[in-house]
Amino acid sequence: MTDRSLRIPSVISAFVLACLVSAPARAQTPPPPQEQAPPPAPAPSASAPEITPAPPAPPPSPAGVAPPSSSPPVPAAAPEPAKPAPPPAEKDSNGKKRGFASVSEFARSPYTVKIGEADNQWKISIYGFIEFDMIHDSTRSYTDVAGSTVIRREDVLAGEKGRTTFSARNSRLGFRMESPKFHGIRPSAVLEFDFRGNQPAEATESQFFNNPSLRIRHAYLRLLNDVVDILGGETFALFGAQPYFYPAAVQYLPIPGQLLNRTTQLRLSRTFKTEPINVDFGVAAVRPVERDSTLPEGQAALKITVNDWKGLHTPGALGTTADGAALSVSGLIRGFRVNEFSPNPITTRTETGWGASFDVMLPVIPVPDADTRGNALTLMGSFIVGSGIADQMVLTGGVTQPPLPNPPGGTYTPDIDNGLVVYDRGGTLHSVDWRSIVAGLQYYLPPSGRIFISSNFSHAESRNVTGLVTEPQQTRNVFRLQRYWDANLFFDITPAARVALSYQWTWQRFLDGASAENKRYMLGMYYLF
């Protein structure tokens, strides 16, 4: 790592300094109260309170992720003139007002259609955002999504030359539905899409960015009652108590080394509420990471929240909210049953994967609520360790199966995704170890908090991949160590519009001793509805 790799370009330094200097001046004439921009997407916590179509304002989005609060806000249409005063506001399961315009500079009502009255009411809310990104990379390693993709080395053309990308693929549309309670059970559901789906391999560059594929981000139903919260469908994993501990970043989440996984699952959870703290506990049977293993994956999470010690935090680039200080421990266990290392396998080899995550959200300078944002400082931190869990961090390290020895020759076709387990040349199956530390700070500038900054650091490494991957060609393209650092500046132009600037530095050390780095400069523009 060289000194030049850590320097932020002078233009970004100057911009940040200018915003810091100008913030107090703007505070002299605070804008009139407006309705707030809602978070991008819903996402249940380990045992979040019931989903409502109109949760309170702050669910990975990153822009890139859904809001972390168990009941995220949904944006609303602008109020019509000369409208009579609304009736007393409803309250969600946390006792917060919802569903009506607020005098807050940040609060907004949701786009909600209601049919029926009182306990016989059906509701559907529409939410989402339009996102535009301008990105410049110092190498040709990434598309608009970076994550933990292997960086191209300087001894090839793609590692010497840069590229510029414009994209709107992270734009999002979601629907939140709730139906009447029946015999103590309240059903609800979420269906959410973005435009980052898989596209044909033969798609041109123009088709990839201008005609992107629609994909499901969330598709789940919940059955809420006084005993247990039952969830079935695709949403964020329970592992890591997602998305409560996501960092504030302009880059699409996950940042390198961060937990982020959406998958299909059956989850049982419960929140035990007291005045000082809430305790959330959940267990889930999750889609097998390898369907040929025949066994579902098991996940569990425990989260303790201090209710009166609130911190302001943003998951990704959108969805700012105030939540209690929290500590979580979670884990997973999974089985692998992989075809033997042969061109014509007649048996399988087994291996066990496991993971543990310890996460914290610490309000260094707390706030009383989500409307009081100036001079709020929050620390986010995660420590992840495990084996065979690369998919949980969208991280393969470039690991693929080695070529078959000669003899027997031929081609080995694995029945599992790359990066999770690997055969050595002797035909023994091993799971790939990874451990990661992620830390981030976010500070909301006084007086209003409409300008805020964040910075994140991560360090991820594999301690056994060096002994597992020995083929000379593979050692050039497999990394064992990755570091990442970013600096982000956000500005809320209006409650419905946010802009952000970011500098991101990623560095990787390969098995052959060489290293590579990428520097990314990013402008994001967001309209929330």
Side-chain angles (χ1 to χ4, degrees):
M1 188 187 330
T2 63
D3 289 340
R4 67 181 179 85
S5 66
L6 292 172
R7 289 199 301 266
I8 301 178
S10 59
V11 61
I12 290 191
S13 300
F15 185 87
V16 173
L17 180 59
C19 289
L20 294 177
V21 171
S22 62
R26 280 191 292 271
Q28 295 173 2
T29 56
Q34 303 179 44
E35 298 179 342
Q36 172 189 18
S45 62
S47 175
E50 65 180 73
I51 295 180
T52 67
S61 113
V65 308
S69 171
S70 56
S71 49
V74 179
E80 300 178 6
K83 213 170 187 179
E90 302 175 12
K91 293 185 178 181
D92 65 12
S93 55
N94 291 323
K96 298 180 180 179
K97 294 181 180 180
R98 73 182 187 209
F100 297 100
S102 167
V103 295
S104 164
E105 179 179 349
F106 302 100
R108 297 179 61 194
S109 302
Y111 292 137
T112 301
V113 175
K114 300 179 181 180
I115 301 175
E117 298 294 336
D119 292 337
N120 194 34
Q121 190 172 78
W122 297 72
K123 304 176 186 177
I124 181 169
S125 297
I126 303 173
Y127 65 91
F129 57 86
I130 309 300
E131 178 174 346
F132 166 63
D133 298 301
M134 296 174 56
I135 304 167
H136 176 74
D137 289 296
S138 61
T139 69
R140 297 177 178 177
S141 306
Y142 307 140
T143 61
D144 48 352
V145 180
S148 295
T149 302
V150 175
I151 300 172
R152 305 304 298 271
R153 295 161 51 143
E154 292 183 356
D155 56 359
V156 297
L157 179 64
E160 290 182 342
K161 306 297 182 182
R163 65 172 32 151
T164 297
T165 303
F166 283 29
S167 178
R169 297 195 315 140
N170 202 47
S171 299
R172 192 168 303 164
L173 176 64
F175 304 89
R176 185 182 290 107
M177 295 148 279
E178 184 176 336
S179 55
K181 183 181 291 188
F182 182 77
H183 292 298
I185 299 175
R186 182 180 295 278
S188 62
V190 168
L191 183 61
E192 181 183 307
F193 307 93
D194 67 12
F195 299 90
R196 288 167 50 188
N198 295 327
Q199 293 184 238
E202 65 275 10
T204 65
E205 183 175 322
S206 175
Q207 291 169 339
F208 182 84
F209 289 104
N210 294 340
N211 303 306
S213 299
L214 194 70
R215 73 167 181 177
I216 291 176
R217 289 193 79 252
H218 298 278
Y220 63 87
L221 60 91
R222 299 177 74 178
L223 301 175
L224 298 159
N225 57 70
D226 295 335
V227 178
V228 66
D229 176 0
I230 304 172
L231 180 150
E234 180 176 344
T235 189
F236 291 115
L238 194 57
F239 185 48
Q242 301 177 46
Y244 199 93
F245 300 96
Y246 285 175
V250 179
Q251 180 177 156
Y252 305 158
L253 297 186
I255 65 172
Q258 177 208 330
L259 282 177
L260 190 152
N261 185 257
R262 293 176 299 103
T263 191
T264 313
Q265 60 194 277
L266 175 62
R267 180 190 302 184
L268 304 179
S269 56
R270 176 70 188 271
T271 299
F272 300 92
K273 297 183 179 181
T274 68
E275 185 174 345
I277 66 170
N278 285 355
V279 178
D280 295 281
F281 178 72
V283 294
V286 180
R287 179 189 68 84
V289 67
E290 180 207 10
R291 60 188 177 184
D292 290 350
S293 71
T294 72
L295 294 173
E297 174 180 312
Q299 294 188 13
L302 173 69
K303 179 166 69 76
I304 300 174
T305 305
V306 182
N307 295 324
D308 292 333
W309 188 13
K310 294 187 181 297
L312 206 61
H313 64 134
T314 301
L318 298 173
T320 304
T321 188
D323 287 302
L327 176 68
S328 173
V329 57
S330 57
L332 68 78
I333 188 165
R334 54 181 31 167
F336 302 104
R337 184 175 287 123
V338 184
N339 290 344
E340 67 175 337
F341 196 49
S342 164
N344 300 297
I346 58 174
T347 186
T348 60
R349 299 287 182 265
T350 61
E351 183 64 26
T352 300
W354 62 275
S357 179
F358 306 89
D359 304 271
V360 63
M361 194 271 277
L362 181 65
V364 180
I365 304 178
V367 295
D369 52 53
D371 296 333
T372 309
R373 299 192 176 186
N375 196 38
L377 177 64
T378 304
L379 170 67
M380 313 291 291
S382 298
F383 173 69
I384 307 109
V385 62
S387 191
I389 60 168
D391 61 309
Q392 297 294 315
M393 297 183 281
V394 196
L395 166 68
T396 68
V399 174
T400 58
Q401 299 297 337
L404 287 166
N406 283 309
T411 301
Y412 173 64
T413 304
D415 58 339
I416 190 171
D417 292 338
N418 287 327
L420 297 164
V421 295
V422 64
Y423 278 106
D424 61 23
R425 293 307 302 270
T428 302
L429 185 67
H430 304 268
S431 56
V432 181
D433 298 344
W434 284 101
R435 64 176 57 193
S436 177
I437 297 173
V438 182
L441 278 171
Q442 39 195 289
Y443 178 63
Y444 299 78
L445 276 64
S448 67
R450 291 176 60 201
I451 298 176
F452 65 99
I453 56 178
S454 73
S455 183
N456 304 288
F457 171 81
S458 71
H459 173 99
E461 63 178 312
S462 174
R463 297 193 174 183
N464 71 341
V465 72
T466 302
L468 301 178
V469 178
T470 57
E471 290 296 320
Q473 186 58 36
Q474 287 186 302
T475 60
R476 281 183 50 85
N477 301 307
V478 174
F479 65 83
R480 61 177 178 81
L481 181 63
Q482 176 176 257
R483 291 181 183 141
Y484 170 85
W485 176 80
D486 68 26
N488 308 281
L489 172 68
F490 303 86
F491 175 51
D492 290 336
I493 301 174
T494 76
R498 174 175 287 180
V499 296
L501 285 173
S502 178
Y503 169 77
Q504 304 149 24
W505 171 81
T506 309
W507 175 87
Q508 295 168 352
R509 173 75 72 185
F510 295 92
L511 296 186
D512 65 356
S515 62
E517 67 176 10
N518 184 82
K519 299 174 184 177
R520 168 168 280 203
Y521 311 88
M522 189 168 177
L523 166 68
M525 301 178 66
Y526 316 89
Y527 174 80
L528 297 95
F529 59 87

